[in-house]
Amino acid sequence: AQSVTQLDSHVSVSEGTPVLLRCNYSSSYSPSLFWYVQHPNKGLQLLLKYTSAATLVKGINGFEAEFKKSETSFHLTKPSAHMSDAAEYFCVVSDTSGTYKYIFGTGTRLKVLA
Amino acid sequence: NAGVTQTPKFRVLKTGQSMTLLCAQDMNHEYMYWYRQDPGMGLRLIHYSVGEGTTAKGEVPDGYNVSRLKKQNFLLGLESAAPSQTSVYFCASRHRGQFATNEKLFFGSGTQLSVL
Protein backbone atom coordinates (compact mmCIF):
# COMPACT_ATOMS: atom_id res chain seq x y z
CA ALA A 1 0.00 0.00 0.00
CA GLN A 2 1.12 3.53 -0.60
CA SER A 3 0.65 6.74 1.35
CA VAL A 4 1.93 10.28 1.55
CA THR A 5 2.40 12.61 4.49
CA GLN A 6 2.51 16.34 3.98
CA LEU A 7 4.29 17.63 7.02
CA ASP A 8 2.81 21.13 7.11
CA SER A 9 -0.86 21.98 6.72
CA HIS A 10 -0.09 25.71 6.34
CA VAL A 11 3.03 27.55 5.17
CA SER A 12 3.45 31.34 5.08
CA VAL A 13 6.27 33.06 3.21
CA SER A 14 6.99 36.60 2.15
CA GLU A 15 6.94 37.45 -1.52
CA GLY A 16 10.39 36.95 -3.02
CA THR A 17 11.56 34.44 -0.39
CA PRO A 18 12.05 30.69 -0.94
CA VAL A 19 9.24 28.17 -0.67
CA LEU A 20 9.61 24.69 0.85
CA LEU A 21 6.65 22.31 1.01
CA ARG A 22 7.50 18.96 2.55
CA CYS A 23 6.26 15.52 1.54
CA ASN A 24 7.21 12.04 2.71
CA TYR A 25 5.93 8.94 0.98
CA SER A 26 5.52 5.24 1.57
CA SER A 27 5.14 2.71 -1.21
CA SER A 28 5.52 -1.04 -1.58
CA TYR A 29 6.53 -0.61 -5.20
CA SER A 30 8.69 1.82 -7.07
CA PRO A 31 6.55 4.93 -6.85
CA SER A 32 5.53 7.66 -9.20
CA LEU A 33 5.28 10.95 -7.34
CA PHE A 34 3.48 14.12 -8.28
CA TRP A 35 2.74 17.59 -7.03
CA TYR A 36 -0.61 19.13 -7.91
CA VAL A 37 -1.78 22.67 -7.17
CA GLN A 38 -5.32 23.93 -6.58
CA HIS A 39 -5.95 27.65 -6.71
CA PRO A 40 -9.04 28.96 -4.89
CA ASN A 41 -12.23 27.82 -6.59
CA LYS A 42 -10.23 26.33 -9.42
CA GLY A 43 -9.45 22.84 -10.61
CA LEU A 44 -6.32 20.78 -9.97
CA GLN A 45 -3.24 21.38 -12.08
CA LEU A 46 -0.16 19.17 -12.40
CA LEU A 47 3.00 20.96 -11.29
CA LEU A 48 5.53 18.19 -11.81
CA LYS A 49 6.13 14.46 -11.77
CA TYR A 50 8.94 12.13 -10.71
CA THR A 51 9.38 9.24 -13.12
CA SER A 52 12.75 7.78 -11.99
CA ALA A 53 14.53 9.35 -14.96
CA ALA A 54 16.06 12.07 -12.78
CA THR A 55 15.93 12.75 -9.05
CA LEU A 56 15.58 16.52 -9.50
CA VAL A 57 12.40 17.33 -11.33
CA LYS A 58 11.56 20.72 -12.77
CA GLY A 59 7.95 21.76 -13.13
CA ILE A 60 5.91 24.71 -14.20
CA ASN A 61 6.06 28.23 -12.75
CA GLY A 62 9.60 27.77 -11.40
CA PHE A 63 8.81 24.90 -9.02
CA GLU A 64 11.03 21.89 -8.63
CA ALA A 65 11.17 18.81 -6.42
CA GLU A 66 13.92 16.41 -5.41
CA PHE A 67 13.31 12.69 -4.98
CA LYS A 68 15.37 11.26 -2.10
CA LYS A 69 14.88 7.53 -1.79
CA SER A 70 16.97 7.21 1.38
CA GLU A 71 14.73 9.76 3.12
CA THR A 72 11.51 8.71 1.31
CA SER A 73 10.93 12.39 0.59
CA PHE A 74 9.77 14.46 -2.35
CA HIS A 75 9.87 18.08 -1.17
CA LEU A 76 8.65 20.91 -3.40
CA THR A 77 10.70 24.10 -3.65
CA LYS A 78 10.73 27.42 -5.42
CA PRO A 79 13.54 29.99 -5.10
CA SER A 80 11.31 33.06 -4.97
CA ALA A 81 7.63 33.12 -4.07
CA HIS A 82 5.13 35.16 -6.05
CA MET A 83 1.73 36.32 -4.89
CA SER A 84 0.14 34.13 -7.54
CA ASP A 85 1.64 31.03 -5.86
CA ALA A 86 -0.88 31.28 -3.03
CA ALA A 87 -2.86 28.05 -3.32
CA GLU A 88 -3.20 24.55 -1.89
CA TYR A 89 -0.57 22.03 -2.89
CA PHE A 90 -0.98 18.27 -2.90
CA CYS A 91 1.69 15.60 -2.94
CA VAL A 92 0.47 12.45 -4.70
CA VAL A 93 1.86 8.92 -4.89
CA SER A 94 0.98 6.22 -7.37
CA ASP A 95 2.39 2.75 -7.41
CA THR A 96 3.64 1.25 -10.67
CA SER A 97 2.30 -2.23 -9.97
CA GLY A 98 -0.56 -1.80 -12.39
CA THR A 99 -3.42 -0.65 -10.17
CA TYR A 100 -2.43 3.00 -10.65
CA LYS A 101 -4.24 4.23 -7.56
CA TYR A 102 -3.36 7.87 -6.96
CA ILE A 103 -3.23 8.65 -3.26
CA PHE A 104 -3.24 12.31 -2.23
CA GLY A 105 -1.72 13.90 0.81
CA THR A 106 -3.83 16.11 3.04
CA GLY A 107 -2.52 19.26 1.38
CA THR A 108 -0.44 22.29 2.30
CA ARG A 109 -1.99 25.72 2.03
CA LEU A 110 0.61 28.25 0.94
CA LYS A 111 0.11 31.86 1.91
CA VAL A 112 2.30 34.53 0.32
CA LEU A 113 2.65 37.79 2.22
CA ALA A 114 3.27 41.07 0.45
CA ASN B 1 -12.27 18.43 -26.77
CA ALA B 2 -14.28 18.72 -23.55
CA GLY B 3 -11.95 16.65 -21.34
CA VAL B 4 -13.66 15.47 -18.15
CA THR B 5 -17.21 16.66 -17.56
CA GLN B 6 -19.07 16.23 -14.29
CA THR B 7 -22.78 16.68 -13.77
CA PRO B 8 -24.38 18.16 -11.77
CA LYS B 9 -22.16 20.98 -10.46
CA PHE B 10 -24.23 21.57 -7.33
CA ARG B 11 -26.81 19.51 -5.48
CA VAL B 12 -28.61 19.63 -2.17
CA LEU B 13 -30.07 16.40 -0.80
CA LYS B 14 -32.05 15.46 2.24
CA THR B 15 -30.81 12.62 4.42
CA GLY B 16 -31.88 9.31 2.95
CA GLN B 17 -32.30 10.51 -0.60
CA SER B 18 -30.39 8.93 -3.43
CA MET B 19 -28.57 10.43 -6.37
CA THR B 20 -26.08 9.65 -9.13
CA LEU B 21 -23.14 11.76 -10.16
CA LEU B 22 -22.06 11.40 -13.77
CA CYS B 23 -18.52 11.67 -15.05
CA ALA B 24 -17.84 11.63 -18.78
CA GLN B 25 -14.48 11.79 -20.57
CA ASP B 26 -13.85 12.02 -24.28
CA MET B 27 -10.13 11.15 -24.27
CA ASN B 28 -10.49 7.37 -24.50
CA HIS B 29 -8.82 6.90 -21.11
CA GLU B 30 -8.90 3.48 -19.49
CA TYR B 31 -8.53 4.53 -15.87
CA MET B 32 -11.09 6.68 -14.09
CA TYR B 33 -11.41 7.77 -10.46
CA TRP B 34 -13.83 9.31 -7.99
CA TYR B 35 -12.48 11.43 -5.13
CA ARG B 36 -14.03 13.47 -2.38
CA GLN B 37 -12.37 16.60 -1.04
CA ASP B 38 -12.93 17.77 2.51
CA PRO B 39 -11.12 20.59 4.35
CA GLY B 40 -7.87 19.42 5.88
CA MET B 41 -8.19 15.93 4.44
CA GLY B 42 -7.04 16.40 0.87
CA LEU B 43 -8.60 14.27 -1.82
CA ARG B 44 -9.58 10.77 -0.78
CA LEU B 45 -10.12 8.03 -3.32
CA ILE B 46 -13.63 6.57 -3.21
CA HIS B 47 -13.64 4.09 -6.10
CA TYR B 48 -11.75 3.68 -9.31
CA SER B 49 -11.94 1.74 -12.56
CA VAL B 50 -9.18 0.28 -14.70
CA GLY B 51 -11.41 -0.21 -17.72
CA GLU B 52 -14.91 -0.71 -19.03
CA GLY B 53 -16.90 -3.10 -16.85
CA THR B 54 -14.43 -2.98 -13.93
CA THR B 55 -14.55 -1.16 -10.60
CA ALA B 56 -12.49 -1.32 -7.42
CA LYS B 57 -12.64 0.16 -3.93
CA GLY B 58 -10.47 3.04 -2.91
CA GLU B 59 -9.75 4.50 0.53
CA VAL B 60 -13.30 5.50 1.52
CA PRO B 61 -15.81 3.37 -0.44
CA ASP B 62 -18.52 2.90 2.20
CA GLY B 63 -21.87 4.43 1.31
CA TYR B 64 -21.04 4.72 -2.40
CA ASN B 65 -21.46 2.52 -5.43
CA VAL B 66 -20.04 2.93 -8.92
CA SER B 67 -20.55 1.59 -12.41
CA ARG B 68 -18.53 1.73 -15.61
CA LEU B 69 -20.82 0.31 -18.27
CA LYS B 70 -19.25 2.42 -21.00
CA LYS B 71 -15.60 3.35 -21.26
CA GLN B 72 -16.32 7.06 -21.38
CA ASN B 73 -18.65 7.17 -18.36
CA PHE B 74 -18.06 6.55 -14.66
CA LEU B 75 -21.09 6.89 -12.38
CA LEU B 76 -21.00 7.45 -8.62
CA GLY B 77 -24.13 6.60 -6.69
CA LEU B 78 -25.29 7.45 -3.21
CA GLU B 79 -28.11 5.09 -2.27
CA SER B 80 -29.05 6.73 1.01
CA ALA B 81 -27.30 10.05 1.51
CA ALA B 82 -25.96 11.02 4.93
CA PRO B 83 -24.72 14.42 6.21
CA SER B 84 -21.19 12.92 6.39
CA GLN B 85 -21.26 12.71 2.60
CA THR B 86 -21.42 16.49 2.29
CA SER B 87 -18.31 17.18 0.26
CA VAL B 88 -16.89 18.27 -3.08
CA TYR B 89 -16.61 15.34 -5.45
CA PHE B 90 -14.03 15.18 -8.22
CA CYS B 91 -13.82 12.76 -11.08
CA ALA B 92 -10.53 12.16 -12.86
CA SER B 93 -9.20 10.11 -15.74
CA ARG B 94 -5.65 8.97 -16.32
CA HIS B 95 -3.70 9.93 -19.38
CA ARG B 96 -0.96 7.40 -19.96
CA GLY B 97 0.81 8.85 -22.99
CA GLN B 98 3.66 7.37 -24.94
CA PHE B 99 6.24 8.24 -22.31
CA ALA B 100 6.10 7.99 -18.54
CA THR B 101 6.70 11.71 -18.29
CA ASN B 102 3.38 12.32 -20.01
CA GLU B 103 1.35 10.52 -17.35
CA LYS B 104 -1.13 12.79 -15.61
CA LEU B 105 -4.64 12.97 -14.24
CA PHE B 106 -7.32 15.08 -15.88
CA PHE B 107 -9.90 16.36 -13.42
CA GLY B 108 -13.47 17.46 -13.78
CA SER B 109 -14.56 20.77 -12.28
CA GLY B 110 -16.18 19.13 -9.27
CA THR B 111 -19.64 18.62 -7.78
CA GLN B 112 -20.53 20.40 -4.58
CA LEU B 113 -22.94 18.18 -2.64
CA SER B 114 -24.72 19.15 0.55
CA VAL B 115 -26.72 16.61 2.52
CA LEU B 116 -29.08 18.14 5.06
Side-chain angles (χ1 to χ4, degrees):
Chain A
Q2 64 266 45
S3 65
V4 289
T5 302
Q6 291 185 245
L7 299 166
D8 306 293
S9 59
H10 293 82
V11 170
S12 291
V13 300
S14 297
E15 190 175 22
T17 64
V19 175
L20 170 63
L21 305 183
R22 298 182 295 165
C23 172
N24 287 109
Y25 72 91
S26 172
S27 179
S28 304
Y29 298 90
S30 177
S32 288
L33 293 159
F34 309 77
W35 277 97
Y36 278 82
V37 60
Q38 186 179 37
H39 287 92
N41 300 314
K42 295 282 183 69
L44 289 124
Q45 181 183 22
L46 178 66
L47 274 180
L48 51 80
K49 177 196 174 186
Y50 166 72
T51 61
S52 78
T55 57
L56 184 62
V57 183
K58 294 188 183 299
I60 62 172
N61 301 333
F63 284 95
E64 61 182 38
E66 186 172 7
F67 174 73
K68 292 187 176 180
K69 187 175 181 179
S70 61
E71 298 176 10
T72 60
S73 69
F74 190 57
H75 300 335
L76 182 69
T77 60
K78 183 174 181 177
S80 176
H82 191 273
M83 296 297 288
S84 61
D85 295 328
E88 188 153 27
Y89 292 78
F90 296 99
C91 183
V92 182
V93 65
S94 171
D95 69 62
T96 54
S97 66
T99 60
Y100 294 106
K101 288 195 298 184
Y102 293 81
I103 302 300
F104 282 67
T106 51
T108 298
R109 187 166 295 277
L110 176 65
K111 186 175 182 180
V112 182
L113 307 171
Chain B
N1 191 337
V4 179
T5 304
Q6 287 183 235
T7 52
K9 295 192 184 306
F10 303 94
R11 186 74 185 268
V12 178
L13 291 178
K14 294 181 179 178
T15 297
Q17 287 185 315
S18 63
M19 78 163 293
T20 300
L21 283 69
L22 171 64
C23 177
Q25 53 96 2
D26 60 1
M27 297 171 282
N28 202 36
H29 291 165
E30 294 289 343
Y31 293 75
M32 296 185 73
Y33 309 83
W34 274 108
Y35 290 91
R36 60 176 290 173
Q37 182 176 19
D38 303 289
M41 304 188 80
L43 279 76
R44 291 179 292 169
L45 182 63
I46 305 172
H47 286 280
Y48 65 104
S49 169
V50 302
E52 182 178 314
T54 74
T55 63
K57 294 180 179 180
E59 301 170 279
V60 289
D62 294 342
Y64 304 94
N65 56 73
V66 287
S67 65
R68 184 102 182 265
L69 299 179
K70 293 183 178 180
K71 187 177 185 179
Q72 63 268 35
N73 295 336
F74 195 28
L75 279 61
L76 177 71
L78 287 74
E79 290 186 348
S80 179
S84 60
Q85 294 178 304
T86 293
S87 187
V88 180
Y89 292 84
F90 286 98
C91 176
S93 66
R94 175 180 178 261
H95 172 72
R96 181 177 147 185
Q98 185 178 2
F99 303 103
T101 50
N102 295 335
E103 179 189 354
K104 65 181 288 186
L105 293 177
F106 284 81
F107 285 90
S109 57
T111 296
Q112 193 154 346
L113 174 67
S114 294
V115 182
L116 306 178

